[in-house]
Amino acid sequence: MTQTSTTTGENTPGWPSRTWFRRPSTWTWFGFGLVLMVYADLAWRRRWMSDDGLIVLRTVRQILAGNGPVFNVGERVETNTSPLWTAILSVFGLIPGVPLEWISVVTGLVFSVAGLFFGLDGARRLYQPLAFHGLAPAGALVVCALPPFRDFATSGLETGLITLWLGGTWWLLVRRLSTMDELRTWPVALVAGLGPLVRPDLALFSGVALVALVVLLRPGLRPALVLLAVAGALPLAYQVFRMGYYGLLTPNTALVKEASEANWGRGWAYLADLFQPYWLLLPVLLLAAAFLTMKSTMDRTFVMLTAVPLVGAVLLSLYVIRVGGDFMHGRMLLPALFCLLLPVLALPMTRVTTAFLLAVGIWAFVAAGSLRPPYSAEPRAVGVTDERSYWSRATGHEHPILAEDYADHPSMPSVLSAVRGVEGPAVLIQDYATRRWYAYPTDRSYVTVAADSIGALGQLIPLDLRLRDGYGLANPFAAHSTSLPDGRTGHQKWLPPVWELANSARLPIAEGGPVRAKDVAAARVALSCPELVAIDVSVRDPLTAGRFADNLIGSFARGSVRFPRVASPPVTCG
């Protein structure tokens, strides 16, 4: 890409009479501003907090209370997938008088819009050296039109941070490699290396971005190693912390979702669940055709910068497809789709491209107003679902944001009543047949609640009560149990309440409740097996230097431990 072409265009003597409102750049920025405002407005209209987002906030509350990055006091379990998102909310959580839910919603929205801005400006800078000055935000219309992009701009999850990081990283790469900006290289490497802290699978995009940076700059061996060291310093430091503090190589959620296992069939179905309802292949092909009309102007730098997000999109989508997708409609594929759109978020307006861009605009209008998955009207908590619509209907709130909004869910009054009615330490479990809660005595000094959905409940009960779910997000034993046959994606694990009684209740268990004493006794025997004892002490023992070292060393093997979710006598270890 010829650097001198960055000065070619409307500021040259060839256009002396053009006033500001006739300059192509004016209308480019007007289009950018308009699409950003539209996206912000559409996302705000769909504002909400997911139950999973509320899980993050309980960890934030524990950090602010001085208990460390844990979900339950005294149990070092990494329930959050994004360390950086947790850290950011912990800092913003210091703002007095503002509920954490609103901090999370607004931060996610601002990050999403900022990420789209950086992506748009990255595209502008990419085409600027080719002397194109009039650009239309064509690819950004796809972001505005798709409901998942709007829904997860808030939600309390890390999607907004992902959008900001992907857009910002690509923007920095384009600035450093394709324009005359005096931008130093090490900040680009530092930001590009943050992928694993944003979400572990984004290490794939980090790798692609760093390879492109080194290949195009050709800094020599020693400077290249320095750049890689800058990029890897923070992720490596956190990885050592994770291994020593939590005792695992990955977040606990990776065990819960069995991220190391392949489920290609379910993953392809998840991809189709996003593409088919919105006819998404149509705008992708139109944008690709418009992009390819400019192939004669592409040089090596242009091709490499374009390849970074495209290769990243392929790798990220293949990862999501391999692990079987997710239960939230579209959510896990949004980073890959955003990467795919980055080079075409804005495209030069020419006679050839205008027809393609108008067709994309027509599709966006139809998709935004009419195209939806078949289950959106009546979402259920089975298979892939429209998570926002489900919780909106289930709670009776159009915008369920505060944890108190979730208290209106039909299942919530009974568990809150049981928690408030317990006197002294106990283990609370539910009879799933009658929906009645039972309290069992314990020799531990705290109350333990065995529940399923733990986000809103975790916000509504005190921090010193321990909340352990059968799915395994905050329950290390459930995370290490075997999966349910054909379990719902993201909910492959479910450990029956007998294990919580075996772990914490005083034996023998009284008969007449929802569990059998012999089942609890069998589970107690299983929990005495050395590999499960090692899991327990890795999260419960006081964090001394010796415990940190033992956790760190044991983390290489501990994540592979699995035990049968049903304890049947005679119990055998190993």
Side-chain angles (χ1 to χ4, degrees), residues 101-130:
E101 293 95 330
W102 278 110
I103 289 175
S104 180
V105 164
V106 173
T107 302
L109 178 59
V110 171
F111 281 7
S112 296
V113 175
L116 182 57
F117 165 78
F118 283 120
L120 284 166
D121 194 53
R124 182 188 68 84
R125 291 171 181 272
L126 179 71
Y127 297 112
Q128 187 181 41
L130 302 177

Side-chain angles (χ1 to χ4, degrees), residues 93 178 264 288 302 361 456 490 494 532 551 567:
S178 73
W264 291 97
F302 184 97
W494 190 75
L532 297 189
N551 277 3

Side-chain angles (χ1 to χ4, degrees), residues 240 242-245 247-249 545-559:
V240 172
R242 169 184 284 147
M243 295 163 66
Y245 190 81
L248 291 172
L249 287 172
R547 169 48 51 199
F548 188 94
D550 186 76
N551 277 3
L552 192 148
I553 295 170
S555 64
F556 292 97
R558 194 173 292 117

Side-chain angles (χ1 to χ4, degrees), residues 138 285-287 289-291 293 351-361:
L285 292 177
L286 289 170
L287 291 169
F291 176 81
T293 61
R351 292 180 179 179
V352 179
T353 63
T354 299
F356 292 112
L357 303 186
L358 286 175
V360 172

Side-chain angles (χ1 to χ4, degrees), residues 58-59 61-62 67 70-75 415-428 437 444-451 454 457-469 474 500 504 540:
R58 181 171 168 97
T59 302
R61 289 173 63 209
Q62 296 283 19
N67 298 321
V70 299
F71 188 83
N72 290 316
V73 176
E75 296 181 355
V415 61
L416 292 176
S417 177
V419 170
R420 292 164 185 158
V422 70
E423 297 180 1
V427 181
L428 293 176
W437 285 84
R444 301 187 188 273
S445 60
Y446 47 82
V447 174
T448 299
V449 183
I454 59 174
L457 184 56
Q459 285 291 92
L460 293 170
I461 66 176
L463 293 178
D464 58 351
L465 269 65
R466 301 200 182 186
L467 181 58
R468 290 161 67 93
D469 61 316
E500 204 53 58
S504 302
R540 288 182 186 265

Side-chain angles (χ1 to χ4, degrees), residues 373-398:
Y375 47 75
S376 285
E378 296 183 2
R380 298 186 300 158
V382 293
V384 180
T385 194
D386 183 336
E387 189 77 353
R388 187 202 178 280
S389 294
Y390 169 78
W391 283 113
S392 181
R393 289 168 61 91
T395 62
H397 292 270
E398 182 181 359

